[in-house]
Amino acid sequence: MANDGTQREFYCGLDAALSIVGGRWKFLILWQLAVQGPQRFGQLRRMVAGISEKVMIGALKELEADGIITRKDYRTVPPHVEYSLTSSGTSLAEALNPLCQWGYAHMEQIENRAEQLAAR
Amino acid sequence: MANDGTQREFYCGLDAALSIVGGRWKFLILWQLAVQGPQRFGQLRRMVAGISEKVMIGALKELEADGIITRKDYRTVPPHVEYSLTSSGTSLAEALNPLCQWGYAHMEQIENRAEQLAAR
DNA sequence: CGGTATCCGAAACGATACTG
DNA sequence: CAGTATCGTTTCGGATACCG
């Protein structure tokens, strides 16, 4: 690993990509925005079932800082904020497609694993 | 989201795939095995620079339980163990390729982000 | 050499209450 | 409705010592 003064070094594009879409929720948010189109905060949160408000907001901020999504605040009361993908976000979602396909094809294999791991 | 009694439900193939390759290290291990071919434990660990033994072993066990890699123990002394990809592992590595490409193409954008986040 | 066991701190996540 | 603040919990990764 080189050390040329930049804050982060990546071995391959993979850890750059996974630093964005890694974690438990962010890829789901990305996916929802890709499939459903632009969404309001509340809508989006209902689609990503189980996520807490706090984590949702944190994830959205990171995705925004990464240039993956855009936040549009209509500055009304009650508030109305809409999130949508940037072009980077769209291309990222496309790059995620093969992985998604792979996942579908191997779901049973993976679900069986869950039981094995339970016995750890 | 269906509920048919299985232990884990996946929204899309994506969280199935990321439940395997997520986390900080496992995708790097997968990648090394894909690029370099079968490797011994020590070799592999040197390639995935920075990982501790404990975490390495945990990651390898999970990947093995997931059917992504195979562990071959030569049962010699001193020990000689070799890890290699299964066919699932190979196809997973292939599915990861577009993501890797995307990452390379957006590295600068992402590295800049690191500085923004530092100011959070 | 490859692996186990244990302890520890940091980070991610989750629940709840509250605000403009 | 969208977001903040604060809490507690869980999960993950790092360090170290030890075993066959």
Side-chain angles (χ1 to χ4, degrees):
Chain A
M1 174 169 44
N3 187 347
D4 55 5
T6 50
Q7 299 207 346
R8 295 210 278 175
E9 283 304 317
F10 296 116
Y11 297 89
C12 66
L14 219 41
D15 61 359
L18 282 178
S19 77
I20 289 185
V21 86
R24 184 161 168 188
W25 299 110
K26 290 196 284 187
F27 71 94
L28 282 175
I29 296 172
L30 179 68
W31 199 252
Q32 285 300 327
L33 288 174
V35 173
Q36 310 286 344
Q39 297 287 326
R40 300 183 56 166
F41 179 87
Q43 271 282 299
L44 200 49
R45 198 186 150 208
R46 258 166 262 129
M47 292 172 147
V48 183
I51 192 173
S52 73
E53 271 193 354
K54 175 189 135 187
V55 174
M56 183 84 189
I57 292 176
L60 288 170
K61 280 190 175 166
E62 286 180 29
L63 288 171
E64 194 189 358
D66 285 334
I68 303 300
I69 64 175
T70 305
R71 195 188 105 112
K72 166 83 178 150
D73 188 342
Y74 287 91
R75 304 188 61 70
T76 62
V77 47
H80 181 158
V81 179
E82 202 168 72
Y83 293 90
S84 54
L85 291 185
T86 62
S87 57
S88 290
T90 305
S91 64
L92 178 53
E94 282 163 11
L96 243 22
N97 244 309
L99 197 55
C100 187
Q101 301 292 324
W102 186 95
Y104 271 123
H106 293 78
M107 269 196 187
E108 289 192 15
Q109 173 182 337
I110 302 167
E111 281 171 351
N112 292 338
R113 181 271 308 246
E115 293 147 32
Q116 297 179 27
L117 287 184
R120 273 198 302 182
Chain B
M1 172 171 43
N3 186 347
D4 55 3
T6 50
Q7 299 206 346
R8 294 212 277 178
E9 285 303 318
F10 296 117
Y11 297 90
C12 65
L14 219 42
D15 59 1
L18 283 177
S19 76
I20 289 185
V21 85
R24 184 161 169 190
W25 299 109
K26 290 196 285 187
F27 70 95
L28 282 176
I29 296 172
L30 180 67
W31 200 251
Q32 286 300 327
L33 287 175
V35 173
Q36 310 286 345
Q39 297 288 324
R40 298 184 58 167
F41 180 89
Q43 271 283 299
L44 200 49
R45 196 185 152 208
R46 258 165 261 129
M47 292 172 148
V48 183
I51 191 172
S52 72
E53 271 194 356
K54 175 192 135 186
V55 173
M56 183 83 188
I57 291 176
L60 288 171
K61 281 192 174 167
E62 286 181 29
L63 289 171
E64 194 189 358
D66 285 334
I68 303 302
I69 64 175
T70 304
R71 195 188 106 112
K72 167 82 178 150
D73 187 343
Y74 288 89
R75 305 189 62 69
T76 62
V77 48
H80 180 159
V81 178
E82 202 168 72
Y83 293 90
S84 54
L85 291 185
T86 62
S87 56
S88 290
T90 305
S91 63
L92 178 53
E94 282 163 13
L96 242 24
N97 244 310
L99 196 56
C100 187
Q101 301 293 324
W102 186 95
Y104 272 123
H106 293 78
M107 269 196 187
E108 290 193 13
Q109 174 183 337
I110 301 168
E111 281 171 352
N112 292 337
R113 181 271 307 246
E115 292 148 33
Q116 297 179 27
L117 287 184
R120 271 198 301 181

